[in-house]
Amino acid sequence: MSVWPAWEVQEDDGATSWCHVRLAFTDGARVDALAVVADGHVSIEDVRSQPALCLDDLAALADWIEGPLFEACGFGPLPDEEEGEGEPAGPRRARPAWPRGAEGRWLVAQEYRAAQEDGVDPVLAVMCATGHSRRKSLRMIAQARDAGFLTPRHARR
């Protein structure tokens, strides 16, 4: 998933941001959207997809892109997202539930190594497994390295 800002309107007590969003899937499907972030809410102004989205997928689109949009627009994580151990807060996410803590880091390492063995992009494999953006997936891979589940990226001298 890629998010890049289109434009922003500053108001007295806040800002309204428009962002271009592109979701590209491994099977060649693609969704392009123009999303608006204002007052802690996401609205979709325009959507183009190949192949066409069904109504259920279209209804879930805003919830699925909400977190990465807030991060890209500088609002930080969603207010109901909890940092730390435990289950993710609320059923707001369209992405699969992923365990946090040591178990999550271990699973990231497993996905990473399996992708390497299969000769595919390991970062993309982690992105698909977790449902997170590339940036968040890279952060999770680094945490798995720091925990000792993956070998260090560079040999130390």
Side-chain angles (χ1 to χ4, degrees):
M1 179 169 157
S2 302
V3 177
W4 61 98
W7 63 91
E8 181 176 272
V9 176
Q10 295 287 330
E11 300 174 44
D12 293 331
D13 58 344
T16 301
S17 300
W18 282 262
C19 297
H20 293 288
V21 179
R22 175 168 289 159
L23 297 145
F25 299 93
T26 55
D27 64 356
R30 191 170 100 185
V31 178
D32 291 310
L34 179 62
V36 180
V37 179
D39 300 323
H41 299 286
V42 172
S43 301
I44 306 293
E45 288 206 356
D46 185 39
V47 176
R48 294 180 184 182
S49 68
Q50 186 63 22
L53 294 174
C54 69
L55 277 177
D56 291 335
D57 291 341
L58 187 59
L61 181 63
D63 287 337
W64 200 80
I65 66 174
E66 187 175 43
L69 266 174
F70 278 0
E71 289 176 23
C73 293
F75 293 109
L78 291 172
D80 66 343
E81 284 187 330
E82 296 175 4
E83 293 294 326
E85 304 298 318
E87 294 296 316
R92 296 180 57 134
R93 297 288 179 190
R95 66 179 168 227
W98 192 261
R100 295 178 185 244
E103 181 185 0
R105 289 188 288 273
W106 184 80
L107 289 172
V108 164
Q110 296 297 96
E111 288 290 332
Y112 189 92
R113 281 196 295 275
Q116 278 183 324
E117 290 172 5
D118 292 341
V120 297
D121 182 12
V123 177
L124 184 59
V126 171
M127 288 171 60
C128 292
T130 63
H132 287 293
S133 67
R134 184 171 188 84
R135 180 182 298 168
K136 175 73 176 175
S137 295
L138 286 168
R139 192 176 308 133
M140 293 171 79
I141 291 166
Q143 290 170 348
R145 284 187 199 287
D146 292 344
F149 295 123
L150 291 170
T151 58
R153 183 162 170 81
H154 300 289
R156 309 248 182 226
R157 294 177 195 224

